[in-house]
Amino acid sequence: MAGIDCLLNIALPKGRLGEKVYSRFAAAGYPCPALLENSRKLIFENPDAGVRYFWVKPADAAIYVERGTADIGVAGKDILLEQGPEIYELLDLNTGICRMAVAAPKGFRDDTRRPLRVATKFPHIAERYYASMGRDIDIIHLNGSIEIAPILGLSDVIVDIVETGTTLRENDLEVVENIFPISARLIANKASFKFKTSEIEKLVNKLSEETEEFSIKERI
Amino acid sequence: MIIDETTVTRAEQTAFALRALYRRYGYIPYRMGKFEEYDLYSRNKDFLVSDSVITFTDTSGRLLALKPDVTLSIVKNYREDTKGTEKLYYDENIYRFSRGAGTFSEIRQAGLECIGTLDPAAAGEVLILAAKSLESVSDDFVLDIAHLGILSAVLDRITSDSALQEEILAAVGEKNLHGIRTILRERGISPEKGEELTRLLSLYGEPEKVLPEIGQIAAGAGAGEEFEFFRRTLSVFSDGGFGGKIRVDFSVTGDRNYYNGLIFKGFIAGLPAAVLSGGQYDNLMRRLGKNAGAAGFAVYLDSLEQLDDTPSSTDFDVLLLYGADTDPGELAAAVEGLQKDGFTVRTGRSSSRVRAGRTGVFEKGSITWQA
């Protein structure tokens, strides 16, 4: 693990959410201007602010943190519930807000005589959700374009992330059931937290002050 | 026999150090068979880190398992008529599902169990041994300690619904304060009821700094007795011998069907997950029909391999090249000569695919060193 140096290693999810979250880190006193310059570089340091950022695929952020390569990171609650990593979840960043939901073609009725066929990128979440209801299911693990599965008859329903519902509507699907709300979370490696306690706590405090301001602004 | 330290791995060195440490405290080695009846594990699945166990049928038709855990076997064999307290240590391979490998792995684990009358003195000794175990790996360690009895009392004040308690407990393990607030809100429980718990979780630090406030919280939740045990046990560290490395952290949790009082986890700088894990498991004793207290811990030796220094850029000090007509006796003598000077020596006909510190050509009884 590369985390023994004095910089705080931070894994950010590449993409729009990551950029949004970075601006919050920067506002909280952890800037690294080079990060937003358009380049193919993935690792950025700002020794003055004591941070090293790296861009990772959003679904991998929790892995970098669990393995200690990153001391802290940002991951969606969907990823955390799907992967169940051994980490601390220190803060709800109140951004990247969406929800996990069951969607089906309009007018869908569950045929309870046979197992429900569920297409999803999140097999563990789907499994747990239906197990809690005692419903027998057949999971079809897909990696993308989940929406077409029920249209083509591959599955009866899908379990997926819904943000505005536009994609669903365009594919003649609708939300049947909401499973849980999702937002981006600040996570930390358990061992890093022990050895960089004050640095991590300071960052969490600053970010949570910032998050409150941010939430107020979002609401306005 | 002289042991060359450079050939001993970190895990092996630690295993030797731990065995010596436990012996110094009068713990007795406990050697067990590789197999155990599967029944023991199927009845206590939740105690295991993972409930996947390698099973097979033995020659007489009994269903056996490759040991996934050591504590259960030791507890099973504890006889109550052993008046007083049993103190045992072990260094064993166990077989369990490993998430990283995606299948079963052989894991080397050393640890100890103290079974019998578990008073603050005995429990405190277990904690000292846990701290010293970590210290024998590295000076840069942290031992986090909590008390499940206090935590349970605080949880009881929030709800008596055990499923909900488990849900909250999961958030406790993640230091997930906002998660606890969300759970309470969703269940229509007033946020004030969760305040004691969030306060308890926020108290992270050295015992003398956080104990007074924990005492208040415990008293408020009716866990005064548990707190007194916790305080007295932790007093073994009051001389400050371990600096700030001993910390109270109530995010350390465990399955309350087995663990009740003390629970602790040890971390080493440079390793991403806990390398030591232990606690007080009176509840497990009761489940197995034993009328005694018990505490113990395990050190995961395999995980220490990640600490090994970066591999050297050479595989050995000297490569000695020889030709087809070299006299074997002369060559052997030259090798021994170099070894006497402390070098590691490899002989060979070519230097391809080896990384030597120095390469010499052995010809007619003498060595010509290459630049």
Side-chain angles (χ1 to χ4, degrees), chain B residues 40-329:
Chain B
L40 176 66
Y41 305 118
S42 65
R43 274 187 286 118
N44 297 288
K45 268 193 166 157
D46 300 335
F47 184 73
L48 305 175
V49 175
S50 149
D51 55 12
S52 308
V53 178
I54 305 176
T55 57
F56 63 97
T57 315
D58 86 341
T59 47
S60 63
R62 288 183 311 163
L63 188 59
L64 295 185
L66 275 170
K67 270 190 325 257
D69 172 88
V70 177
T71 307
L72 278 172
S73 303
I74 292 185
V75 168
K76 192 189 81 171
N77 293 323
Y78 171 74
R79 294 190 315 278
E80 277 162 57
D81 52 18
T82 342
K83 293 239 159 57
T85 302
E86 285 245 53
K87 295 186 177 186
L88 305 163
Y89 76 85
Y90 59 84
D91 175 8
E92 296 277 340
N93 286 325
I94 55 161
Y95 305 85
R96 67 165 64 138
F97 181 82
S98 136
R99 241 174 61 151
T103 181
F104 289 103
S105 291
E106 185 181 53
I107 296 162
R108 188 168 179 190
Q109 177 175 308
L112 59 83
E113 314 288 349
C114 171
I115 308 175
T117 313
L118 198 76
D119 48 30
E125 187 183 83
V126 171
L127 289 183
I128 288 177
L129 280 161
K132 288 194 171 178
S133 298
L134 291 165
E135 200 177 32
S136 72
V137 179
S138 161
D139 275 336
D140 209 355
F141 74 88
V142 166
L143 180 64
D144 277 350
I145 311 171
H147 194 285
L148 276 178
I150 298 173
L151 184 63
S152 286
V154 172
L155 281 174
D156 283 338
R157 289 287 154 125
I158 298 174
T159 174
S160 54
D161 175 352
S162 63
L164 181 56
Q165 282 198 0
E166 287 310 311
E167 214 178 303
I168 298 173
L169 205 60
V172 167
E174 289 177 344
K175 286 187 187 283
N176 189 345
L177 301 180
H178 56 271
I180 295 172
R181 285 186 209 110
T182 309
I183 293 170
L184 297 183
R185 198 177 54 232
E186 279 171 1
R187 300 300 183 101
I189 299 170
S190 77
E192 292 85 55
K193 275 197 152 180
E195 261 168 31
E196 297 286 88
L197 180 62
T198 44
R199 228 173 97 209
L200 187 65
L201 264 178
S202 319
L203 288 167
Y204 171 67
E206 293 164 51
E208 59 268 35
K209 286 191 190 137
V210 296
L211 276 179
E213 205 173 336
I214 291 170
Q216 288 170 15
I217 297 172
E225 213 174 291
E226 283 85 353
F227 175 74
E228 194 48 25
F229 182 92
F230 192 45
R231 189 192 61 76
R232 286 187 63 200
T233 304
L234 288 177
S235 70
V236 294
F237 297 118
S238 57
D239 65 352
F242 291 106
K245 294 165 189 170
I246 312 295
R247 297 187 199 158
V248 172
D249 182 351
F250 274 83
S251 75
V252 182
T253 62
D255 190 323
R256 291 180 297 158
N257 289 317
Y258 299 93
Y259 294 103
N260 50 316
L262 293 172
I263 187 139
F264 48 94
K265 278 195 164 32
F267 296 85
I268 300 283
L271 293 177
V275 296
L276 180 149
S277 171
Q280 188 180 342
Y281 48 87
D282 303 347
N283 290 350
L284 170 69
M285 300 292 290
R286 210 166 304 131
R287 280 177 73 114
L288 289 176
K290 316 278 180 186
N291 182 26
F297 62 81
V299 181
Y300 308 124
L301 292 170
D302 289 292
S303 60
L304 304 181
E305 302 292 3
Q306 290 176 47
L307 283 175
D308 279 333
D309 304 327
T310 38
S312 74
S313 57
T314 57
D315 298 323
F316 34 80
D317 303 328
V318 174
L319 172 66
L320 214 49
L321 296 172
Y322 62 94
D325 51 354
T326 302
D327 181 86

Side-chain angles (χ1 to χ4, degrees), chain A:
Chain A
M1 124 177 184
I4 324 179
D5 53 33
C6 49
L7 294 184
L8 213 46
N9 292 292
I10 306 173
L12 288 179
K14 208 167 167 39
R16 216 156 34 99
L17 172 67
E19 283 166 21
K20 215 163 147 189
V21 169
Y22 163 70
S23 64
R24 307 259 303 276
F25 275 78
Y30 298 90
C32 187
L35 195 78
L36 293 176
E37 282 165 21
N38 206 5
S39 86
R40 282 166 190 256
K41 253 178 85 175
L42 295 172
I43 305 175
F44 300 88
E45 276 179 23
N46 182 0
D48 297 330
V51 286
R52 177 186 294 120
Y53 289 101
F54 32 89
W55 292 117
V56 301
K57 200 173 151 85
D60 293 342
I63 299 173
Y64 283 88
V65 173
E66 184 180 28
R67 296 278 180 153
T69 312
D71 300 309
I72 56 176
V74 173
K77 187 65 182 172
D78 51 324
I79 302 296
L80 300 179
L81 285 169
E82 176 62 22
Q83 299 177 350
E86 272 283 317
I87 45 96
Y88 289 138
E89 186 186 316
L90 299 177
L91 203 61
D92 184 344
L93 293 166
N94 280 326
T95 185
I97 291 170
C98 49
R99 60 205 153 117
M100 187 65 72
V102 182
K106 285 193 175 119
F108 163 79
R109 262 196 80 202
D110 188 359
D111 180 356
T112 51
R113 289 171 304 177
R114 54 184 187 78
L116 185 69
R117 293 171 307 157
V118 183
T120 185
K121 263 197 269 189
F122 304 94
H124 290 119
I125 289 172
E127 221 170 279
R128 270 202 307 267
Y129 174 65
Y130 283 104
S132 75
M133 303 198 304
R135 181 76 172 101
D136 193 15
I137 57 164
D138 178 10
I139 290 207
I140 303 156
H141 186 182
L142 298 178
N143 292 298
S145 304
I146 316 287
E147 295 82 8
I148 64 168
I151 300 169
L152 299 177
L154 178 64
S155 74
D156 301 315
V157 298
I158 62 172
V159 166
D160 205 11
I161 293 172
V162 180
E163 206 175 329
T164 56
T166 314
T167 321
L168 290 183
R169 272 194 297 281
E170 280 173 5
N171 288 292
D172 272 330
L173 301 175
E174 60 186 6
V175 170
V176 187
E177 207 91 53
N178 284 315
I179 305 183
F180 52 77
I182 298 169
S183 57
R185 309 296 163 100
L186 181 73
I187 57 175
N189 175 271
K190 287 193 169 182
S192 296
F193 187 86
K194 317 290 165 199
F195 299 103
K196 295 182 178 177
T197 313
S198 62
E199 292 93 328
I200 293 178
E201 279 182 341
K202 198 170 124 199
L203 181 139
V204 170
N205 287 338
K206 284 192 181 165
L207 265 182
S208 69
E209 283 165 23
E210 214 279 326
T211 299
E212 272 164 36
E213 280 167 36
F214 173 82
S215 310
I216 294 163
K217 263 188 252 160
E218 283 272 285
R219 252 178 268 144
I220 298 164

